[in-house]
Amino acid sequence: MSDIKLTNTTSSAEVRELTRLERIGAHSHIRGLGLDDSLEPRDVSMGMVGQQAARRATGIVFKMINEGKISGRAILLAGRPGTGKTAIAMGLAQALGEDTPFTTIAGSEIFSLEMSKTEALTQAFRRSIGVRIMEESEIIEGEVVEIQVDTPAGGGEKTGRLTLCTTEMETVYDLGAKMIEALTKEKVTAGDVITIDKASGRINKLGRSFTRSRDYDATGAQTRFVQCPEGELQKRKEVVHVVSLHEIDVINSRQQGFLALFAGDTGEIKSEVREQIDQKVAEWREEGKATIVPGVLFIDEVHMLDMECFSWLNRALESDMAPVLVIATNRGIAKIRGTNYKSPHGIPIDLLDRLMIISTSPYTEAETKKILIIRCEEEDVEMAEDALDLLTRIAMETSLRYAIHMIIAASLCAAKRKAPEVQIEDIKRVYSLFVDVKRSTQFLMEYQKEFMFNELDNGDDEEDEDDSDDEEEDMEEDEDDGMDE
Ligand SMILES: Nc1ncnc2c1ncn2[C@@H]1O[C@H](COP(=O)(O)OP(=O)(O)O)[C@@H](O)[C@H]1O
Ligand SMILES: [Mg+2]
């Protein structure tokens, strides 16, 4: 491979954005970590409420990533379900902004039929490593004085002339049919300030020249006015863009082509391709053409990974290009998937040893209420104060998630009664229509004989949460048994 392709970078960036938006969903109200300049958490800010200690710690992680000097660190967010682990990770992603690659996967996504677990992990890793590439390009920048187009009488290709000026000079350029088409498409007229990329011929409209601001009534109100450029018409301009290593991999792997980025079915990528790309990127770094932007790989529900994945992570974290790894789990002492060994958080000790652990704690009633208020705003639901108090009580008794899910259902109930806002009766109605885990479990205990596959032996007096954990483990074991057969 003599040269590495980097085209279609904008389209792939769009693809990345789309997937990100789609994933946020339940966390769309989170717009950052809500920290002040000294990285102290504000009480309620950017959609974030409470969880001060965890947010403060994440702020330090943010700083570490933002400076981009440290690679291969791993952070574990540990805490009970619904304590905002995923929310904090999303806040971190938002705080880091567009230019820092942030990849989100769930532990279970690794297991697919199309590629091996380690390939899936490798792709996720390389998605999280950005390469900032500096390219110098030659452009022509000037104010359009005149565009003349000649249409030959007997048909044939159009030709024309474009006159551009700066404050100091004026030049006439000959136009071919392609450039004329491009100018027409961009609706370029006299008085526009434009740039033309000499290599690609791409035209970019910067705005209207101030000298033309008097013909204001002929333009829309949102027209942007810019100064007429100074100096030479031809300029060198530095263009910077960030692509992830994975994107470079896909674009350069011959059987896939960049279209695979849209479809998402990139398949396995040959290790030779990756080696060549790593080599090329290393060269660029030495020549000062590119820098590495270590991003973040966030693996949610990390207890779904097995020994093979964990040991891969161990090893991968040692690479100097490794992104910062953020993982989250709600497990306590649990079996490591696929083994009979129990370990804290369901993660092997040797990986745990490398982690910085941030723990999240349950919310107080006041915090819960604030989160619910924010969610009501996010879902555009008006709720009466007493209804909100009831919903908060329900959240404390059952779970935050259950209460959040009730919001939209209750608002539909209110709409059905043609009431302008959600009242207590709507909350009550939804509460009776949809049961929460506790009531459902209660029901199962009472009527288990009438269901299929009941395995509950009576006299189990453990806490609710432990119960559900045990149940899940049992289910996993069942799965494993099935596979062995
Ligand atoms: N501190 C917080 N501020 C605002 N919203 C929160 C906060 N913590 C949790 N949430 C919201 O509550 C819901 C459950 O939290 P989530 O992050 O999914 O919990 P976990 O991942 O710990 O199980 C989500 O919709 C989340 O956005
Ligand atoms: Mg979560």
Side-chain angles (χ1 to χ4, degrees):
M1 195 184 310
S2 58
D3 215 7
I4 285 182
K5 279 184 272 173
L6 288 163
T7 43
N8 298 92
T9 48
T10 45
S11 40
S12 53
E14 274 162 29
V15 171
R16 193 169 49 203
E17 238 167 60
L18 277 183
T19 40
R20 192 185 284 181
L21 267 183
E22 198 183 305
R23 285 226 173 85
I24 288 178
H27 311 282
S28 50
H29 60 290
I30 308 271
R31 281 179 301 279
L33 285 170
L35 308 174
D36 62 18
D37 291 339
S38 56
L39 297 179
E40 277 296 303
R42 292 202 173 94
D43 209 19
V44 182
S45 171
M46 297 184 174
M48 271 286 184
V49 179
Q51 211 59 264
Q52 311 275 353
R55 277 163 64 203
R56 195 173 291 131
T58 313
I60 292 169
V61 175
F62 164 75
K63 186 106 192 180
M64 188 171 91
I65 300 165
N66 220 8
E67 290 184 351
K69 294 215 176 72
I70 295 169
S71 70
R73 289 303 160 91
I75 285 97
L76 168 66
L77 289 162
R80 289 177 26 184
T83 48
K85 299 180 294 295
T86 310
I88 287 176
M90 291 305 144
L92 177 64
Q94 301 267 315
L96 285 167
E98 298 253 312
D99 275 350
T100 308
F102 193 105
T103 314
T104 307
I105 58 169
S108 45
E109 270 177 62
I110 299 295
F111 302 90
S112 97
L113 296 173
E114 261 149 53
M115 54 178 100
S116 68
K117 292 176 267 189
T118 48
E119 169 70 16
L121 279 172
T122 309
Q123 291 195 5
F125 242 63
R126 289 175 75 86
R127 240 177 252 257
S128 323
I129 304 166
V131 186
R132 186 184 286 121
I133 297 157
M134 274 81 71
E135 272 183 329
E136 267 210 345
S137 61
E138 275 203 0
I139 58 160
I140 299 169
E141 184 179 61
E143 178 183 330
V144 179
V145 180
E146 193 181 17
I147 304 174
Q148 282 174 293
V149 179
D150 312 321
T151 318
E157 293 231 315
K158 284 182 186 172
T159 54
R161 280 166 308 282
L162 168 71
T163 315
L164 286 178
C165 72
T166 65
T167 48
E168 273 137 62
M169 60 189 293
E170 189 171 303
T171 309
V172 181
Y173 296 91
D174 283 329
L175 297 174
K178 242 184 165 170
M179 281 304 287
I180 294 175
E181 198 184 308
L183 285 167
T184 324
K185 209 172 135 205
E186 292 289 324
K187 299 199 180 74
V188 175
T189 55
D192 285 340
V193 177
I194 60 169
T195 63
I196 305 173
D197 187 296
K198 274 188 88 176
S200 66
R202 235 186 72 178
I203 295 170
N204 197 0
K205 235 158 96 165
L206 301 180
R208 298 281 298 168
S209 170
F210 268 118
T211 52
R212 301 283 179 138
S213 56
R214 259 167 299 148
D215 357 326
Y216 194 78
D217 44 342
T219 58
Q222 66 279 70
T223 311
R224 197 156 57 121
F225 286 100
V226 293
Q227 294 291 352
C228 177
E230 292 171 4
E232 298 275 320
L233 273 160
Q234 295 209 18
K235 288 185 187 121
R236 297 192 141 268
K237 205 167 200 174
E238 206 161 71
V239 198
V240 179
H241 43 207
V242 180
V243 267
S244 76
L245 277 180
H246 176 70
E247 283 161 350
I248 305 179
D249 288 353
V250 173
I251 289 166
N252 289 283
S253 76
R254 209 153 294 141
Q255 79 255 43
Q256 318 294 350
F258 73 90
L259 280 177
L261 277 176
F262 294 99
D265 57 348
T266 47
E268 299 220 354
I269 288 165
K270 289 205 190 83
S271 58
E272 303 95 78
V273 173
R274 291 206 171 104
E275 273 161 31
Q276 277 168 329
I277 285 168
D278 287 349
Q279 219 174 344
K280 198 80 192 175
V281 170
E283 264 171 46
W284 287 339
R285 283 170 80 181
E286 268 172 32
E287 292 165 13
K289 276 197 219 154
T291 49
I292 293 289
V293 192
V296 180
L297 171 59
F298 173 50
I299 307 182
D300 210 348
E301 313 289 330
V302 77
H303 49 264
M304 293 307 291
L305 300 185
D306 61 11
M307 276 312 239
E308 204 178 328
C309 298
F310 285 127
S311 85
W312 187 92
L313 284 179
N314 254 339
R315 184 73 197 81
L317 281 175
E318 276 166 18
S319 143
D320 71 332
M321 290 220 288
V324 171
L325 179 69
V326 178
I327 58 183
T329 181
N330 52 25
R331 294 301 151 98
I333 313 267
K335 271 186 203 153
I336 301 167
R337 182 172 178 164
T339 70
N340 273 324
Y341 299 112
K342 284 199 168 180
S343 186
H345 309 294
I347 298 171
I349 299 284
D350 52 348
L351 181 58
L352 273 178
D353 194 34
R354 292 169 191 255
L355 299 174
M356 301 204 281
I357 302 178
I358 299 176
S359 67
T360 53
S361 45
Y363 293 109
T364 64
E365 189 159 346
E367 285 164 343
T368 307
K369 187 170 175 184
K370 277 183 200 146
I371 295 176
L372 289 171
I373 291 175
I374 292 175
R375 280 311 296 189
C376 283
E377 275 166 21
E378 183 68 24
E379 296 179 22
D380 221 357
V381 172
E382 296 283 333
M383 194 173 287
E385 188 60 31
D386 50 356
L388 190 67
D389 285 336
L390 176 60
L391 191 63
T392 309
R393 271 225 321 280
I394 291 174
M396 297 306 287
E397 295 278 317
T398 63
S399 79
L400 177 59
R401 281 221 185 88
Y402 175 70
I404 288 179
H405 292 160
M406 282 176 73
I407 294 174
I408 198 74
S411 111
L412 290 175
C413 282
K416 201 171 158 217
R417 311 187 280 121
K418 299 203 169 56
E421 58 175 14
V422 173
Q423 304 273 330
I424 285 196
E425 60 175 290
D426 303 310
I427 302 280
K428 279 186 183 157
R429 182 155 174 78
V430 173
Y431 186 76
S432 68
L433 283 175
F434 302 99
V435 294
D436 55 293
V437 180
K438 241 183 213 168
R439 278 180 291 159
S440 182
T441 316
Q442 186 67 35
F443 184 76
L444 287 178
M445 299 279 226
E446 281 165 26
Y447 298 100
Q448 58 161 321
K449 299 232 157 42
E450 289 157 35
F451 283 86
M452 287 171 74
F453 307 127
N454 54 76
E455 295 180 343
L456 224 60
D457 36 344
N458 292 326
D460 215 341
D461 264 340
E462 275 180 88
E463 236 183 80
D464 269 347
E465 255 199 344
D466 288 345
D467 263 345
S468 62
D469 263 353
D470 283 345
E471 266 169 42
E472 270 192 69
E473 269 169 33
D474 285 341
M475 273 160 66
E476 268 168 36
E477 267 174 16
D478 284 345
E479 265 169 37
D480 285 348
D481 288 349
M483 303 250 271
D484 287 339
E485 272 163 25

